[in-house]
Structure formats: structure tokens, C-alpha cells
Amino acid sequence: MENPLAFNARALFMWKSDRLYRIHLSGNELFFIRLGGQGGWREGALGGMHGHPLGVLLLPVVWLLERWAQKKRAAKVARSDARPPQLQVREHPHNFRLAAGEIIAASLAPPARLQLHGLHVGRWRLTTAGGQTFHFQFETLADMHWAHAILSRVLAGRLQMRVRWDPRAGRYVRRPARAA
């Protein structure tokens, strides 16, 4: 069973590997539990092979690897949801926690036009009182829906919404600028 107070997001970095996190809400704290490393391997595996005969031969291999990766990720999520995040935060050096009061600004945005860190459906940026800025991206609509619900409740007035849900398109789109 999935934890309704948790979602997945990939932390993006310029000079080091990206990290996939399971973000849990417990009390008034967000716990960032590392699930995995660099993403975007599927896009890299096919590279420029789309439409090439060799690319067609690689598709079944990529499909099998993707199914295997999805099962592995689901098992990690289940393990993460089964244990209190307070215990998991000490298990890996990349795990960390942030109190809601430490976050001074946050925003949810539509997907980047140029998706350099792999396919995604939306982005999340947050800035802490200590001056750290984190960039995340959501790889599934379900994760972005949960993030929106959880973060709007926890961060209240500090969360800037740069997106809105478009039910006709079935995705998040850029929120139109307000007239002055």
C-alpha cells in the first residue's frame, strides 16, 4: 500500500548524478529518502537509434529493462513506506530532513521545454533559510498530484503555483500571467 503522505521526485544536480527521492511528510517535517541514482537511461539507451533498424532490435531489450526497473522501484517504495522516515534518514548519507519552517520559498512549475534530465511532467524548486536551493522533477502525474496536495497544505503561503491542471489535456500546464 502506498503512503498517501509521500511522493517521488528526482533531485537534479549540475555536477553530480541526479538522485531519486521518496519524500515523506511526518508531522511538520519533510523527509527525503534516497531510492536511486541517475535517471534518463531509457532515453540514453536508444540515443539516436529511433527509426534505425538497430533501434527496432533494441526496443524489446529496453522494454524488459524498464519493466525490471519499475518492479525494483516499486519494491523500494514499498520498503520506504513500511518504515518510519525518522529511522530511514540515518541509513544513507544522501537522506535528509527539512522542517517546513526551514523552507522559505517553493514553486511548482510545468515541465521544462528542454528536458535534459529525462522525461518529466513537472518541476519543484525550493529554497531553505540556509540559502540552499533544490531542484526536483516529477516523473509521473501521480507524484505531482500528491506533491501538490501535500506541499500546498504544509507550505501554505510559501508555495508559488506556476501550473494548473488542465483536465482536457490531461497534464499540468503553465498558469497564465495575471493581468495587472
Side-chain angles (χ1 to χ4, degrees), residues 38-47 61-69 73:
Q38 188 71 33
W41 66 270
R42 176 183 48 231
E43 293 86 1
L46 289 177
V61 173
V62 171
W63 180 78
L64 287 171
L65 288 173
E66 179 66 20
R67 284 195 56 200
W68 173 76
R73 180 181 295 169

Side-chain angles (χ1 to χ4, degrees), residues 8 109-112 115 118-124 137-145 163 165 170-173:
N8 295 339
Q115 299 191 6
L119 300 175
H120 61 280
V121 297
R123 297 172 291 154
W124 173 33
Q137 70 184 24
F138 303 105
E139 295 174 349
T140 68
L141 283 174
D143 287 326
M144 189 152 175
H145 282 312
V163 294
W165 176 251
R171 62 186 173 99
Y172 284 93
V173 296

Side-chain angles (χ1 to χ4, degrees), residues 22-82:
R22 182 81 171 156
I23 295 106
H24 296 268
L25 172 66
S26 181
N28 209 21
E29 291 182 310
L30 293 171
F31 291 85
F32 295 76
I33 308 302
R34 184 183 178 277
L35 290 179
Q38 188 71 33
W41 66 270
R42 176 183 48 231
E43 293 86 1
L46 289 177
M49 304 298 273
H50 296 288
H52 191 277
L54 188 57
V56 173
L57 294 175
L58 288 176
L59 282 174
V61 173
V62 171
W63 180 78
L64 287 171
L65 288 173
E66 179 66 20
R67 284 195 56 200
W68 173 76
Q70 286 175 351
K71 286 180 184 179
K72 189 174 175 183
R73 180 181 295 169
K76 286 181 178 182
V77 166
R79 280 195 306 271
S80 181
D81 288 350

Side-chain angles (χ1 to χ4, degrees), residues 80-92:
S80 181
D81 288 350
R83 299 181 49 229
Q86 295 85 344
L87 298 176
Q88 297 177 65
V89 78
R90 296 183 195 100
E91 294 175 357
H92 195 281

